[in-house]
Amino acid sequence: MNFRDKIINFSYLKLFNNLSFIIIEFLFIVFLFANIGFILHIPITWIYLFLALPIIYFSLMKLNSSIKDVNCSFFVFLFLILLSFLVVNGRCDYSYDGSSYHFQAMFCLKNGWNPLLEGAVSFGEKYHLYANYTWVQVWPKFCETVSACFYQLTNIIEAGFVVNCLACCAVFFKSISTFSLFSDRKYLNFLFSGFIWPFFVHYLNIIKK
């Protein structure tokens, strides 16, 4: 069997299921590591991103009997991360919410803020941050925590939007595989997923801002 036949025989539904699973698992594991670090008085670090990779790889091995399926899904996932970096490169959030407390929260987390040990006000005063401390203290949760890891890795605050891109990809892939349970028409499944995807993107922007 040549390379072209292998690509054709690889189920796109299996690929999409794998991708949606490992994207969600990857983001969750990074968030879990970050919170364990807070408990152990360890600040946010980009190392969590790389520690999560072997875990999701072994998870794929549990879900798939073929090592080829595992490797294909894993490398597509890595490509999606790189593609997300290209998409968010140069993008800047000029909104009031983004600049007043989302970016400020990511900056604090990236520079050592431990929300379990110290309030945002006292930490922000060290860097002369004039943000809405009330919202910096209570609003940031999952997105800002994981985004801070990408921010520390690249030292580019907009890299935090990679989390948004990956979450949108997970929803799109899972929507396609779910619609495929009711219809064998590939184009129709892609079309329905395309209708759902913009609503999720809009919702993600709402909870992000």
Side-chain angles (χ1 to χ4, degrees), residues 4-199:
R4 179 176 178 275
D5 292 333
K6 292 179 181 179
I7 295 298
I8 293 176
N9 290 334
F10 183 82
S11 171
Y12 79 96
L13 291 179
K14 181 184 294 184
L15 174 63
F16 288 169
N17 271 317
N18 287 342
L19 288 174
S20 60
F21 173 77
I22 62 176
I23 288 174
I24 295 173
E25 184 185 29
F26 173 77
L27 297 176
F28 171 77
I29 291 174
V30 173
F31 182 65
L32 178 63
F33 281 157
N35 282 274
I36 293 175
F38 291 149
I39 296 174
L40 299 177
H41 300 185
I42 301 173
I44 284 286
T45 173
W46 54 267
I47 297 176
Y48 297 150
L49 301 172
F50 291 92
L51 289 177
L53 293 179
I55 296 177
I56 65 173
Y57 185 84
F58 287 114
S59 297
L60 280 174
M61 294 180 66
K62 292 292 184 180
L63 291 175
N64 299 269
S65 57
S66 172
I67 192 64
K68 294 178 182 178
D69 293 351
V70 172
N71 290 335
C72 180
S73 301
F74 186 73
F75 284 114
V76 172
F77 167 71
L78 295 180
F79 173 76
L80 286 176
I81 293 180
L82 295 177
L83 183 62
S84 298
F85 274 113
L86 294 177
V87 170
V88 303
N89 185 34
R91 184 185 186 275
C92 187
D93 188 353
Y94 294 103
S95 67
Y96 171 79
D97 290 347
S99 59
S100 64
Y101 57 90
H102 286 295
F103 279 174
Q104 299 284 7
M106 290 168 56
F107 178 86
C108 291
L109 288 168
K110 182 248 185 185
N111 286 281
W113 176 41
N114 188 331
L116 299 183
L117 300 177
E118 186 177 12
V121 176
S122 59
F123 185 87
E125 288 175 349
K126 298 177 183 178
Y127 293 92
H128 305 287
L129 298 178
Y130 301 100
N132 190 333
Y133 290 114
T134 301
W135 291 110
V136 171
Q137 179 67 43
V138 302
W139 182 269
K141 296 294 188 298
F142 176 84
C143 286
E144 287 79 8
T145 303
V146 181
S147 296
C149 296
F150 284 100
Y151 177 21
Q152 191 183 68
L153 175 66
T154 62
N155 206 32
I156 301 173
I157 197 167
E158 287 80 10
F161 288 112
V162 170
V163 175
N164 298 56
C165 293
L166 291 177
C168 290
C169 289
V171 169
F172 182 69
F173 293 143
K174 192 60 182 178
S175 298
I176 294 175
S177 60
T178 300
F179 284 127
S180 298
L181 298 175
F182 306 97
S183 173
D184 294 330
R185 299 178 180 180
K186 297 180 181 179
Y187 296 108
L188 193 60
N189 297 332
F190 275 88
L191 182 63
F192 285 153
S193 300
F195 283 135
I196 290 179
W197 190 64
F199 290 102

